[in-house]
Amino acid sequence: MDAPTPLHFQRCSSCGSAVHPPRPMCPVCGSVALAFEESAGEGTVYSSSTVHAREGAYDVSLVDLDEGYRVMTTVTGGGVIGARVHGRVEDADDGPRLVFDP
Ligand SMILES: [Zn+2]
C-alpha cells in the first residue's frame, strides 16, 4: 500500500470552486480568498493518449479529481477514459512525480 498522496489544491472561499494549479485569484469569481486543501487523490480519467518519444512510449492522461479539478499526469498501464484511478507519488530520475494507478 502506497503512502497517501500529499496532493494539495486550492478552494475558493467565496464561490467554492476548486482551483489548480495554484493561483493568487479565483478564475471563476475573482476572489483572492483561496485556501489550500488536501486531496484524497481519487479521480476519473477524462482523456488519454500515448506519446511516442525517442526514449519509448508513455501515457499522458487528464484526470478529473473528485474534489473538482483536473491534472495532466501518467496512468500506469495506460489511461482508460472513464476509469477510476488513485494517485501516488513516485520517485523518478528527475525527482518525485504524481502518477495514477487503475
Ligand atoms: Zn471563486
Side-chain angles (χ1 to χ4, degrees), residues 12-49:
C12 176
S13 303
S14 297
C15 73
S17 296
V19 178
H20 182 80
R23 297 182 177 97
M25 182 181 290
C26 174
V28 177
C29 74
S31 170
V32 295
L34 297 168
F36 280 97
E37 293 183 12
E38 188 167 324
S39 173
E42 303 288 340
T44 304
V45 177
Y46 172 78
S47 73
S48 182
S49 60

Side-chain angles (χ1 to χ4, degrees), residues 11-100:
R11 174 89 61 196
C12 176
S13 303
S14 297
C15 73
S17 296
V19 178
H20 182 80
R23 297 182 177 97
M25 182 181 290
C26 174
V28 177
C29 74
S31 170
V32 295
L34 297 168
F36 280 97
E37 293 183 12
E38 188 167 324
S39 173
E42 303 288 340
T44 304
V45 177
Y46 172 78
S47 73
S48 182
S49 60
T50 301
V51 175
H52 296 275
R54 195 179 305 252
E55 308 79 36
Y58 60 94
D59 175 79
V60 177
S61 292
L62 295 176
V63 171
D64 286 338
L65 278 297
D66 291 349
E67 290 88 357
Y69 65 99
R70 181 173 290 167
V71 295
M72 182 180 290
T73 184
T74 295
V75 176
T76 55
V80 176
I81 293 172
R84 294 288 296 167
V85 289
H86 177 79
R88 65 181 165 85
V89 175
E90 158 182 291
D91 286 325
D93 292 341
D94 54 351
R97 66 175 187 146
L98 177 68
V99 299
F100 283 77

